């Protein structure tokens, strides 16, 4: 038998090992794939924010497969485009669950799209991981809320403006749909109850999705803030309307030192299309910023840049929420030993995974997670400098203490309570939403 040179022996062994690993992977993935539904707008007014979330899930799926899949099975991302069309979200969710038979869905940005999807995932007993801050007033056994509830973003942001900046007059400016309207109802009640703010010191304004003509509104904000009391704008403006809004702030010379804006839906991704020079000093409240100085964050940023092939690619808070939610779901599937919905719902409560700010996120019995709260200041490079943060993580509260229809409600999806809308005064369990509109 002819002897191979050492170098060729090494190549032959390496090739054999690679072939064996490939065959092993093929055998491991011989079963049907675990299907991961991705329900994000890739067109329309919300594409500016949602497209990167689709990409994030695909990156996480790819990474999981490189690590051997899940339960010995390959993951397959099934992507649909609801096109910023709220009724279409429901149709696409039904398509994912009924036709594609996905095991889980990661998706939605706006609350109106989530409200559209909610009855579908409950009817078909699907799992939805929702990665964006929202207004609360909801707790579904089929939804896991990995974005911030009002007590994890809106309330701390208002406290910061009042306590640290000395704000006395408030502009609550939002896009005209359920998240800004409900959040602003909570904030209006909170400002009056906690700080004694008078009615005339609160200005509320709503604009449609995709609104582009901000000249008169920004002029009104400027006038409202010129009456001798420190004024701030609390912004729940969503989607691509933020670009002309911030542009008009710069055009009219609204300086952060005079009238600071704190945004709940503007992050690094939205700022990529704006000249941020005139916006330096304006604020955003999130639970993560790309500028956070932790090793796990740098690893995530490196992975994202490598995946996109774009050295200028940015990360943001909802991407971190998907990172957390995806890892919680995979851990719950491992614990349950199955992707079966009822088993995963039971096993995920109490699951704890790393976040990107150097701590951990835990899934609470109300299907919300624990999160730190950060206030960031816009820099001229489109990043945020963290100027304030909570000393520890905050557990998300599904029901606001400042709305009469929900202040007596709690949510706990563990047995025996197994209820998302339990009234502690009446002792009765309702459905997913509060009785008050």
């Amino acid at each position: 038998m002819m002897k191979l040179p050492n170098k060729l022996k090494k190549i032959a062994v390496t090739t054999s090992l690679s072939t064996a690993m490939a065959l092993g992977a093929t055998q491991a993935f011989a079963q049907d794939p675990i299907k991961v539904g991705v329900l994000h707008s890739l067109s329309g007014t919300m594409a500016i924010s949602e497209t990167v979330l689709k990409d994030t899930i695909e990156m996480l799926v790819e990474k999981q497969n490189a690590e051997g899949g899940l339960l010995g099975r390959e993951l397959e991302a099934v992507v649909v485009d609801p096109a910023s069309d709220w009724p279409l979200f429901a149709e696409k969710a039904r398509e994912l669950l009924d036709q594609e038979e996905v095991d889980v869905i990661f998706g939605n940005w706006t609350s109106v799209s989530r409200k559209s999807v909610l009855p579908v995932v409950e009817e078909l007993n699907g799992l939805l991981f929702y990665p964006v801050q929202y207004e609360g007033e909801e707790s579904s056994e089929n939804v896991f809320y990995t974005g911030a509830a009002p007590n994890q973003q809106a309330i701390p942001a208002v406290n910061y403006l009042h306590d640290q900046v000395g704000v006395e007059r408030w502009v609550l400016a939002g896009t005209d749909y359920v998240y800004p309207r409900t959040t602003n109802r909570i904030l209006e009640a909170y400002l009056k109850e906690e700080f004694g703010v008078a009615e005339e010191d609160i200005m509320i304004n709503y604009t449609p999705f995709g609104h582009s003509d901000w000249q008169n509104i920004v002029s009104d904000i400027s006038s409202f803030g010129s009456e001798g009391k420190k004024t701030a704008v609390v912004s729940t403006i969503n989607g691509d309307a933020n670009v002309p809004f911030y542009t008009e702030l710069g055009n009219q010379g609204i300086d952060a030192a005079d009238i600071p804006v704190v945004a709940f839906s503007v992050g690094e991704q939205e700022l990529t299309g704006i000249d941020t020079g005139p916006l330096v000093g304006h604020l955003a409240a999130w639970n993560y910023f790309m500028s956070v100085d932790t090793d796990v964050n740098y690893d995530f940023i490196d992975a994202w840049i490598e995946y996109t092939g774009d050295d200028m690619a940015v990360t943001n808070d909802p991407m971190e929420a998907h990172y957390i939610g995806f890892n919680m779901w995979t851990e719950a599937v491992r614990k349950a030993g199955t992707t079966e919905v009822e088993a995963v719902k039971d096993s995920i409560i109490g699951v704890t995974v790393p976040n990107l700010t150097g701590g951990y996120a835990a899934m609470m019995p109300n299907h919300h997670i624990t999160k730190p709260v950060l206030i960031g200041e816009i820099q001229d490079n489109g990043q945020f400098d963290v100027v304030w943060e909570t000393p520890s993580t905050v557990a998300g509260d599904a029901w606001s203490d400042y709305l009469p229809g929900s202040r007596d409600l709690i949510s706990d999806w563990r047995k025996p309570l197994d209820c998302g809308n339990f009234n502690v005064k009446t002792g009765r369990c309702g459905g997913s939403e509060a009785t008050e509109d």
Side-chain angles (χ1 to χ4, degrees), residues 220-256:
D220 291 342
I221 291 171
S222 180
S223 297
F224 185 77
S226 65
E227 299 185 15
K229 292 182 178 180
K230 184 64 177 178
T231 302
V233 178
V234 178
S235 172
T236 48
I237 300 165
N238 263 259
D240 55 10
N242 277 294
V243 175
F245 170 64
Y246 277 94
T247 299
E248 187 59 33
L249 288 176
N251 290 343
Q252 295 196 26
I254 303 288
D255 192 276

Side-chain angles (χ1 to χ4, degrees), residues 14-313:
T14 302
T15 303
S16 298
L17 285 173
S18 299
T19 303
M21 289 174 67
L23 287 172
T26 301
Q27 291 168 359
F29 291 159
Q31 303 177 60
D32 290 339
I34 295 173
K35 291 188 175 184
V36 177
V38 185
L39 185 65
H40 280 301
S41 295
L42 310 181
S43 56
T45 189
M46 292 308 301
I48 185 176
S49 298
E50 292 195 66
T51 300
V52 294
L53 298 187
K54 181 271 294 185
D55 295 338
T56 301
I57 292 299
E58 289 186 318
M59 179 184 74
L60 293 169
V61 165
E62 184 178 290
K63 178 176 181 291
Q64 191 67 39
N65 284 334
E67 295 173 355
L70 186 60
L71 303 182
R73 296 166 62 189
E74 183 180 18
L75 301 186
E76 176 188 338
V78 182
V79 178
V80 294
D81 178 17
S84 306
D85 180 335
W86 318 135
L88 189 57
F89 267 88
E91 294 179 30
K92 291 297 184 180
R94 188 173 294 277
E95 175 186 326
L96 287 172
L97 292 169
D98 223 5
Q99 298 176 29
E100 297 290 346
E101 297 184 338
V102 300
D103 296 278
V104 63
I105 296 174
F106 292 86
N108 299 87
W109 181 292
T110 68
S111 284
V112 66
S113 70
R114 190 193 70 256
K115 294 286 189 184
S116 178
V117 166
L118 182 61
V120 176
V121 295
E122 290 185 338
E123 174 197 342
L124 300 178
N125 197 28
L127 294 177
L128 172 66
F129 283 77
Y130 177 64
V132 184
Q133 84 291 337
Y134 86 121
E135 69 282 357
E137 308 310 294
E138 179 184 300
S139 179
S140 169
E141 64 176 320
N142 295 89
V143 180
F144 297 94
Y145 307 83
T146 57
N151 73 306
Q152 295 173 306
Q153 184 187 39
I155 296 295
V158 163
N159 287 342
Y160 172 81
L161 290 173
H162 179 270
D163 298 343
Q164 305 296 322
V165 185
V167 172
E168 298 177 279
R169 299 200 98 196
W170 306 83
V171 179
L172 308 182
T175 303
D176 193 4
Y177 74 106
V178 60
Y179 161 61
R181 284 191 173 272
T182 305
T183 299
N184 286 343
R185 284 176 55 221
I186 293 170
L187 289 180
E188 185 179 11
Y190 182 79
L191 290 170
K192 291 176 178 178
E193 185 173 328
E194 295 296 325
F195 301 143
V197 177
E199 184 83 29
E200 60 267 22
D201 287 328
I202 301 175
M203 170 185 169
I204 301 176
N205 178 267
Y206 296 104
T207 47
F209 280 97
H211 189 71
S212 59
D213 184 5
W214 289 94
Q215 187 172 355
N216 290 338
I217 295 170
V218 171
S219 178
D220 291 342
I221 291 171
S222 180
S223 297
F224 185 77
S226 65
E227 299 185 15
K229 292 182 178 180
K230 184 64 177 178
T231 302
V233 178
V234 178
S235 172
T236 48
I237 300 165
N238 263 259
D240 55 10
N242 277 294
V243 175
F245 170 64
Y246 277 94
T247 299
E248 187 59 33
L249 288 176
N251 290 343
Q252 295 196 26
I254 303 288
D255 192 276
D258 299 322
I259 304 178
V261 177
V262 60
F264 299 161
S265 297
V266 172
E268 294 83 351
Q269 180 65 28
E270 288 74 19
L271 292 181
T272 56
I274 303 174
D275 175 13
T276 55
L279 306 182
V280 170
H282 287 299
L283 306 165
W286 289 103
N287 310 103
Y288 162 86
F289 289 108
M290 184 176 178
S291 58
V292 167
D293 183 16
T294 63
D295 289 342
V296 66
N297 184 39
Y298 293 138
D299 289 343
F300 182 76
I301 293 169
D302 288 344
W304 178 241
I305 289 173
E306 181 180 353
Y307 180 79
T308 61
D310 180 4
D311 288 341
M312 303 302 292

